[in-house]
């Protein structure tokens, strides 16, 4: 059965089926990888061998099981750049080249060079992992997150994981964490930090490992800790539950998309939608220009400002203004005039906005009724301001001065002296630099440093204040 638009519908169905198949294959590959890790991990725990399965791509820097040169490479100069686990055949001679003291029957499981010993400064520091009695090894890839705040570095060196303890050969000596003395192991989910909680210790310490080898060393540590404390049964029960949940989460095959289920949006590709949106925007812009042309309405257009120095326009009927000089008004009204005409004053042009003067009516009676103009008097003479004369009143030893400054107690302090005070009193050199009140120095000069410890320092000290 054919229906309209069958071509583009079939094309959509083929593309949709390819997309669904790719997504299913990616999810199935990830599910199979995780299923293999869980099964191998359960087999290792059940066999009692603390060797975790090697995660995908765990060769090279992290090392792989069965690398005989791992122990030799980790020995000397704090170990080489590798870190990983050892096989059962290599454990017997692995401790010979390591810079740690091991028991005769102690087995080396993994080494981690360039490890740092850290301690949590605060008892409840935020972001630090808590202890887990039954830690489950995880293979989440390299841990590149930032460690939490509140950590203090104590030492650094080569970390050695055995079947009994964790030993670090550092610069200040050896530090060890026996598995049987630990209350739990805490792994940070994003940073390569592992805290080892000892029983009875209020401050937790642990290892900050290199990001490339942190996942591998963590898995070995978890298996060794569980085996040393006899918690394999708990870990096996936990792994069985994880396997059951994982089997239930297996991805299903996708449903085949039919051509009839193609949505209408598939008729226009995404590129066509983008072009259509651009065209719609352009059409709206053109419509806006046509409906609202550029420029404000006529009633909102402001008149252009006149250039500087150009007289503004004179209105046709300007109101009368007051004459600039009464003499002009008197000259314009003669004996032969029967009616006084309105007189306009000639005002010099001004720049900017022009303000109209209020109209003042001019009397229109006969010339005999107009008051005669008042004669202009002589211009006022400019005389110098009067010079203050010193007062002759007694000032208790103060020089005569027109400001009323005296040495007699009972007045107020002078905090703002007059400008001519130094013309009647002897002032110190830096008189105007002071910021206090007037005082008399021991040598008779006055200072403006009253109330400060440096007043009259170079003039024998302060004798008394000056009052007003």
């Amino acid at each position: 059965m054919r229906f309209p638009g069958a071509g583009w519908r079939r094309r959509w169905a083929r593309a949709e089926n390819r997309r669904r198949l790719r997504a299913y294959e990616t999810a199935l590959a990830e599910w199979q990888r995780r299923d293999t890790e869980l099964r191998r991990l359960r087999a290792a725990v059940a066999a009692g061998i603390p060797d975790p399965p090697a995660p995908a791509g765990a060769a090279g820097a992290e090392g792989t099981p069965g690398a005989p040169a791992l122990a030799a490479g980790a020995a000397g100069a704090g170990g080489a750049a590798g870190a990983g686990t050892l096989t059962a055949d290599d454990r017997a001679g692995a401790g010979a080249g390591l810079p740690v003291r091991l028991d005769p029957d102690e087995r080396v499981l993994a080494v981690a060079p360039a490890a740092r010993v850290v301690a949590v400064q605060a008892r409840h520091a935020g972001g630090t992992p808590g202890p887990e009695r039954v830690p489950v090894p995880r293979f989440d890839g390299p841990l590149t997150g930032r460690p939490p705040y509140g950590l203090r570095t104590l030492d650094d060196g080569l970390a050695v994981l055995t079947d009994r303890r964790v030993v670090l050969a550092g610069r200040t000596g050896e530090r060890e964490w026996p598995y049987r003395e630990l209350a739990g192991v805490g792994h940070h989910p994003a940073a390569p930090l592992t805290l080892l909680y000892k029983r009875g210790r209020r401050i937790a310490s642990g290892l900050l490992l290199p990001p490339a080898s942190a996942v591998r060393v963590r898995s070995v540590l978890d298996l060794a800790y569980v085996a040393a404390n006899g918690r394999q049964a708990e870990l096996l029960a936990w792994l069985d539950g994880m396997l059951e949940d994982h089997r239930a989460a297996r991805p299903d095959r996708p449903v085949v998309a039919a051509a009839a289920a193609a949505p209408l949006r598939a008729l226009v590709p995404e590129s066509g939608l983008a072009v259509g949106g651009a065209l719609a925007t352009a059409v709206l812009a053109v419509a806006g220009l046509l409906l609202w042309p550029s420029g404000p309405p006529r009633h909102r257009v402001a008149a252009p400002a006149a250039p500087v120095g150009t007289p503004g326009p004179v209105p046709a009927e300007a109101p009368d203004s007051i004459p600039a000089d009464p003499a002009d008004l008197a000259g314009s009204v003669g004996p032969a005039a029967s009616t006084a005409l309105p007189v306009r004053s000639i005002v010099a042009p001004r720049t900017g906005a022009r303000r109209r003067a209020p109209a003042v009516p001019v009397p229109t009676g006969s010339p005999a009724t107009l008051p005669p103009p008042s004669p202009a008097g002589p211009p006022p003479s400019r005389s110098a301001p009067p010079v203050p004369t010193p007062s002759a009143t007694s000032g208790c030893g103060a020089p005569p001065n027109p400001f009323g400054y005296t040495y007699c107690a009972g007045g107020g302090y002078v905090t703002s002296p007059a400008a001519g005070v130094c013309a009647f009193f002897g002032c110190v050199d830096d008189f105007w630099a002071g910021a206090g009140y007037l005082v008399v120095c021991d040598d008779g000069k006055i200072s403006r440093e009253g109330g400060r410890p440096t007043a009259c320092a170079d003039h024998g000290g302060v004798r008394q204040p000056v009052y007003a």
Side-chain angles (χ1 to χ4, degrees), residues 28 37 40 82 93 97 104 113 136 142 177 188 195 216 239 250 269 311 368 383:
L28 182 61
E37 289 179 357
R40 294 181 61 182
V136 179
W177 294 267
H188 195 278
L195 294 181
R216 185 71 173 172
L239 291 175
R250 180 186 178 96
S383 58

Side-chain angles (χ1 to χ4, degrees), residues 137-231:
R138 299 177 181 177
F139 308 96
D140 299 331
L143 302 172
T144 58
R146 178 176 296 179
Y149 294 100
L151 300 180
R152 180 166 54 95
T153 301
L154 303 178
D155 201 354
D156 61 277
L158 175 69
V160 180
L161 277 70
T162 69
D163 58 344
R164 300 180 182 179
R165 56 178 177 163
V166 178
V167 187
L168 184 125
R171 300 180 182 180
T172 60
E174 292 185 4
R175 298 173 184 266
E176 65 173 6
W177 294 267
Y179 299 139
R180 294 184 178 274
E181 298 180 6
L182 297 180
V185 178
H187 300 303
H188 195 278
L193 171 66
T194 297
L195 294 181
L196 306 173
Y197 290 88
K198 281 189 175 183
R199 295 187 180 93
R201 295 287 184 90
R202 301 183 61 183
I203 299 179
S205 60
L207 299 176
L208 190 62
L209 303 168
S213 61
V215 176
R216 185 71 173 172
V217 174
R218 278 184 177 184
S219 59
V220 176
L221 173 62
D222 293 340
L223 293 176
Y225 169 74
V226 170
N229 290 274
R231 299 193 179 113

Side-chain angles (χ1 to χ4, degrees), residues 291-322:
L291 295 177
W292 298 281
S294 60
R298 294 178 58 87
H299 64 277
R300 294 185 180 180
V301 178
V308 178
T310 304
V314 180
E317 295 182 5
D320 298 333
S321 59
I322 301 176

Side-chain angles (χ1 to χ4, degrees), residues 311-318 344 354 356:
V314 180
E317 295 182 5
R344 301 179 183 271
R354 185 178 180 184
R356 297 179 178 180

Side-chain angles (χ1 to χ4, degrees), residues 11-107:
R11 287 194 298 270
W12 173 86
R14 286 194 296 268
E16 181 66 16
N17 288 329
R18 286 195 297 266
R19 185 192 64 81
R20 294 181 182 183
L21 184 60
R22 285 195 301 267
Y24 167 73
E25 292 175 350
T26 303
L28 182 61
E30 179 63 23
W31 183 90
Q32 291 175 347
R33 183 191 65 81
R34 180 60 177 168
D35 185 74
T36 303
E37 289 179 357
L38 290 175
R39 292 181 182 277
R40 294 181 61 182
L41 180 60
R42 191 192 184 286
V45 175
I49 302 175
D51 279 345
E62 295 187 10
T64 56
L70 178 60
T85 59
L86 305 177
T87 61
D89 298 334
D90 300 326
R91 290 173 191 150
L98 296 177
V100 294
R101 296 186 300 270
L102 302 176
D103 296 337
D105 56 345
E106 190 173 3
R107 298 180 301 169

